[in-house]
Amino acid sequence: MSRAAGAQVASSRHAILLILTAIMPTMGIVALVPVLPMLLREFAAVPGSAVLVPVALTIPALCIALFSPVAGALSDRLGRKPVLLVAMLVYGLVGALPLVLHDLIAIIAARAVLGLAEAAIMTVSTAMLGDYFEGPRRERWIATQMASVSVSAIALVAIGGALGEALGSRGPFLLYLVALPIAAAVAAMLFEPVQRARGTAPKVRLPMGTILPVLLITVAVGVLFYTIIVQVGPIIERSGVTSPALIGLAAAGTNLGVAIGSILFGRLKAHAGPRLLAAGLALVGLGYAGAALAPGFAAITGFAVLACVGSGLMLPNMLAWVMRRLPAPARGSGTGAWTGAFFLGQFAAPLIASLLAPATGGLSQTLLLYTGLALAGALAALIASSRTSALTPA
């Protein structure tokens, strides 16, 4: 049953609006992927542009990793709705700013500010799902959020490509203006939970001793999740396929795999915790092994999708696991810590892969190393699940 705040009770329309806000940080990166070559050509004369242009693309993810805990703590102190509303407005206005900017450093600075807004949006929208709903319904909406974000990435890449084709390298930046009507809906529809209203929530210390193990596992899950996403092109090229269209099809398949895994979590949420972590790691391990060893495009793509099904199962599982351990007054801080851990794993994934590939002898060998680590983690989680019972939902 939905939890009430004063006379107001959360319903599906509140959850759907929160999910729409959570899609914004995904749009912040994937919508620009199709115009990355155009931006590289545009700024080719700028010293260091080969590094700076990709940094402009990815710096929001680093900001999310670093500042999500701060955003969560602010929402615990100031209230969820005002923090989310300001973040959505900043996202829409600053996100579209590169439409009129012509200096690469200025664009990077704007993207960094965008990342701060994204940290608040991702953290607070998720925390509000935890505030508005409880038990199985909360975990169902968390799974729906993960699936929706993954599916939206497929559409956003296509829309970003179409805008780039029609309007040039700055076309996709128009998409950020979508946040402004969504911000208006946030102002009109969402409400501040009573226990989160300013001055009414008791001060509770974040139980780091309880959630730290889950956060550390989340970093590792983030690395496993994002490695296959980032490396899907080179992995597919190992089969001899270099067609951008086919590689794009495989990339869409991996995002669909994440969505399928999240939907699967929605059906298995009663087992959230070590048991589903073991299942997810096992699927990831099998997927990585197949992607490293399979001979053809179809087989490699299928195994990459399987790995992403495992990741899609694990991501809402880890978030639900943390949510179950958080007292309501610390839910914003705890959700921010989880979001930061997940995006830290994402940010580190390509760096770790690039360091490991020379040491292991190539990308395939790196994937096999990850296979071993994932399967070892699955075994450890399975042993842990046999020794502990699932925690009671908050």
Side-chain angles (χ1 to χ4, degrees), residues 39-56 102-106 108:
L39 290 168
L40 285 167
R41 289 193 296 270
E42 179 180 344
F43 293 105
V46 177
S49 62
V51 173
L52 291 175
V53 171
V55 164
H102 302 285
D103 179 78
L104 181 55
I105 300 303
I108 292 174

Side-chain angles (χ1 to χ4, degrees), residues 9-30:
V9 178
S11 65
S12 296
R13 67 191 183 102
H14 297 99
I16 291 169
L17 178 55
L18 288 170
I19 289 170
L20 284 176
T21 65
I23 289 172
M24 296 297 102
T26 298
M27 185 173 74
I29 295 178
V30 300

Side-chain angles (χ1 to χ4, degrees), residues 127-175:
M128 288 188 82
L129 283 178
D131 291 331
Y132 282 177
F133 304 98
E134 58 188 9
R137 196 174 185 198
R138 173 202 294 164
E139 291 168 5
R140 183 168 67 250
W141 280 119
I142 287 173
T144 303
Q145 181 196 70
M146 296 284 183
S148 300
V149 167
S150 298
V151 171
S152 72
I154 301 172
L156 289 169
V157 168
I159 295 170
L163 288 172
E165 187 75 24
L167 302 173
S169 65
R170 308 307 171 85
F173 290 101
L174 282 171
L175 274 173

Side-chain angles (χ1 to χ4, degrees), residues 20-318:
L20 284 176
T21 65
I23 289 172
M24 296 297 102
T26 298
M27 185 173 74
I29 295 178
V30 300
L32 300 185
V33 169
V35 299
L36 180 59
M38 300 173 71
L39 290 168
L40 285 167
R41 289 193 296 270
E42 179 180 344
F43 293 105
V46 177
S49 62
V51 173
L52 291 175
V53 171
V55 164
L57 190 72
T58 59
I59 195 169
L62 178 60
C63 291
I64 294 174
L66 295 177
F67 295 104
S68 290
V70 177
L74 280 175
S75 77
D76 280 339
R77 290 176 60 87
L78 304 177
R80 307 276 194 250
K81 183 175 176 178
V83 173
L84 181 59
L85 181 58
V86 170
M88 289 294 295
L89 293 171
V90 171
Y91 179 97
L93 296 174
V94 177
L97 197 57
L99 283 167
V100 297
L101 295 177
H102 302 285
D103 179 78
L104 181 55
I105 300 303
I107 291 174
I108 292 174
R111 298 282 292 170
V113 175
L114 177 76
L116 298 179
E118 289 180 346
I121 292 168
M122 180 64 75
T123 298
V124 178
S125 63
T126 304
M128 288 188 82
L129 283 178
D131 291 331
Y132 282 177
F133 304 98
E134 58 188 9
R137 196 174 185 198
R138 173 202 294 164
E139 291 168 5
R140 183 168 67 250
W141 280 119
I142 287 173
T144 303
Q145 181 196 70
M146 296 284 183
S148 300
V149 167
S150 298
V151 171
S152 72
I154 301 172
L156 289 169
V157 168
I159 295 170
L163 288 172
E165 187 75 24
L167 302 173
S169 65
R170 308 307 171 85
F173 290 101
L174 282 171
L175 274 173
Y176 295 96
L177 295 175
V178 171
L180 298 181
I182 297 177
V186 166
M189 291 173 54
L190 297 185
F191 57 88
E192 190 70 25
V194 161
Q195 71 271 24
R196 296 264 47 85
R198 185 186 302 188
T200 65
K203 293 184 178 180
V204 175
R205 185 185 298 271
L206 184 64
M208 284 302 298
T210 301
I211 68 171
L212 183 59
V214 184
L215 297 180
L216 294 175
I217 296 170
T218 297
V219 174
V221 168
V223 171
L224 288 172
F225 161 72
Y226 211 59
T227 296
I228 201 80
I229 297 292
V230 170
Q231 300 292 340
V232 66
I235 291 169
I236 294 298
E237 287 178 350
R238 191 178 58 79
S239 69
V241 171
T242 59
S243 164
L246 288 176
I247 292 173
L249 181 64
T254 58
N255 281 288
L256 186 59
V258 176
I260 292 170
S262 298
I263 293 169
L264 185 60
F265 169 81
R267 296 182 176 276
L268 301 174
K269 57 185 177 293
H271 305 290
R275 190 176 304 176
L276 288 188
L277 174 62
L281 286 171
L283 290 174
V284 168
L286 292 174
Y288 268 66
L293 301 173
F297 170 79
I300 291 174
T301 300
F303 279 112
V305 171
L306 179 64
C308 288
V309 171
S311 293
L313 179 63
M314 286 191 292
L315 295 178
N317 176 63
M318 301 310 298

